[in-house]
Amino acid sequence: MDDEMTFILSDKPIKIEKDIKEWTTDDKRRNNLDNHCRSHIFKSLDRNTFSMVRECKTAKEACEMVIQLHEGNKRTKENKIMVATQNFENIKMKPGETMKEFSDRFTNVVNELSVLGNKYDNKEIIIKALRSLPSTWDIKTMVGMQKAKMG
């Protein structure tokens, strides 16, 4: 069964170019497996993604569409990395923002970079976070930076 599933999701989508009355047992099994795979793909999607994928006729089509929607092509990924890197480099704590709000926002930027394959070591992240704090945090920032440099 696994070999058939691999075949279903391989290079060529299943397209049985015969009248359904002429299908062989193998044609029926392949079609059924494709429907089964497509059904599982559809069930795993949120409503928005499903609405964009539901017209796909084969499991391979659906799988490729999901990948395109979530990862994009190489150029899209490069743009996402560039934007996330700029967000990391430019992040600053906003006036009136609590430390929790800033920490959540900062963590989201670091996580986004990590998902895209750009990882920073903990020392770099700590130093960037401390440098992103406003001047009212200077004393605490200096102490934190000393600890980060020592560790």
Side-chain angles (χ1 to χ4, degrees), residues 57-80:
K57 302 293 183 208
T58 65
K60 176 153 179 62
E61 245 182 89
C63 195
E64 288 174 346
M65 177 71 82
V66 170
I67 290 169
Q68 182 64 34
L69 288 169
H70 290 282
E71 292 182 12
N73 58 28
K74 186 178 178 182
R75 188 173 176 194
T76 303
K77 188 173 180 179
E78 288 170 359
N79 287 339
K80 286 180 180 180

Side-chain angles (χ1 to χ4, degrees), residues 33 43 60 72 130 133-134 148:
L33 185 58
K43 287 176 185 176
K60 176 153 179 62
L130 293 172
L133 298 173

Side-chain angles (χ1 to χ4, degrees), residues 107-119:
T107 300
N108 287 339
V109 170
V110 172
N111 287 342
E112 184 178 359
L113 280 165
S114 180
V115 166
L116 292 169
N118 278 19
K119 296 183 181 182

Side-chain angles (χ1 to χ4, degrees), residues 47-105:
R47 286 179 187 232
N48 292 334
T49 306
F50 174 73
S51 69
M52 293 182 259
V53 176
R54 72 174 169 228
E55 297 299 320
C56 293
K57 302 293 183 208
T58 65
K60 176 153 179 62
E61 245 182 89
C63 195
E64 288 174 346
M65 177 71 82
V66 170
I67 290 169
Q68 182 64 34
L69 288 169
H70 290 282
E71 292 182 12
N73 58 28
K74 186 178 178 182
R75 188 173 176 194
T76 303
K77 188 173 180 179
E78 288 170 359
N79 287 339
K80 286 180 180 180
I81 291 171
M82 184 178 70
V83 169
T85 302
Q86 286 175 343
N87 288 341
F88 180 78
E89 291 171 359
N90 298 328
I91 196 164
K92 296 282 183 202
M93 188 173 188
K94 297 174 183 175
E97 187 173 35
T98 67
M99 181 51 83
K100 167 96 172 86
E101 291 167 339
F102 172 71
S103 176
D104 290 347
R105 198 165 52 87

